Amino acid sequence: MDLNDFLRDVPDFPKPGIVFKDITPLLATPAAMLHCVERFAELVSGQTIDRVAAIESRGFLFGVPLALHLGVGFTPIRKPGKLPWKTRRQDYALEYGTDAVEIHEDAVEPGQSVLLIDDLLATGGTMRASCDLIEQIGGKIAACAFVVELGFLPGRAKLAPYPTHALLRVD
Ligand code: AMP
């Protein structure tokens, strides 16, 4: 199965110069979604995974079915102000300005091995901040995995300390 068939390029969204990778055709195709979940599971087969964590909001769309498939719990990582319990926050740099992600401070148990999921790897800032959060609350990073990697950006280098996988790389 070629996942490219289920991604739609939308030029100049959300701003001029960005080619947005629209995953809605993939979400609309059960066989393609199942393919993603099974391939993510294969990438970590043989590793202990205690938790799947994913990043708001498109990461949830892959992280939750993957957690169910692996038979482990799911941990949401969200934009600031969304999580109701006690949180930890990690800021990260954008091209202009900063952004942040948050996690519940009891979202993983100390020493648990966490697989992090997002839909797309661009600069890597969001995932790197998410890895920092997991480590802050005592988790260990088993791997980071994405549906799509933009190979012309240095995201993979930013995640160098961690095993990093992508189902599809575009250049
Ligand atoms: P980054 O922190 O630069 O790796 O950006 C990753 C986050 O931004 C992911 O959550 C993606 O969903 C989103 N993102 C960045 N660039 C794109 C793009 N070209 N198409 C779709 N989503 C994107």
Side-chain angles (χ1 to χ4, degrees), residues 18-22 55-56 58 92 118-127 150:
I18 304 283
V19 179
F20 192 85
K21 292 282 172 189
D22 175 20
I55 304 165
E56 177 177 354
R58 288 184 296 276
Y92 59 97
D118 203 0
D119 67 327
L120 185 136
L121 173 60
T123 66
T126 317
M127 182 59 89
L150 302 183

Side-chain angles (χ1 to χ4, degrees), residues 130-166:
S130 300
C131 290
D132 292 344
L133 279 180
I134 294 290
E135 290 183 336
Q136 268 186 49
I137 63 170
K140 294 199 168 70
I141 312 299
C144 304
F146 303 86
V147 180
V148 188
E149 173 181 2
L150 302 183
F152 51 88
L153 292 174
R156 192 172 277 268
K158 192 165 268 176
L159 300 174
Y162 312 111
T164 299
H165 308 289

Side-chain angles (χ1 to χ4, degrees), residues 95-119:
E95 195 180 354
Y96 301 104
T98 60
D99 209 341
V101 282
E102 291 185 348
I103 196 167
H104 277 159
E105 64 181 24
D106 60 356
V108 304
E109 286 163 35
Q112 277 193 323
S113 180
V114 181
L115 170 60
L116 283 101
I117 299 288
D118 203 0
D119 67 327

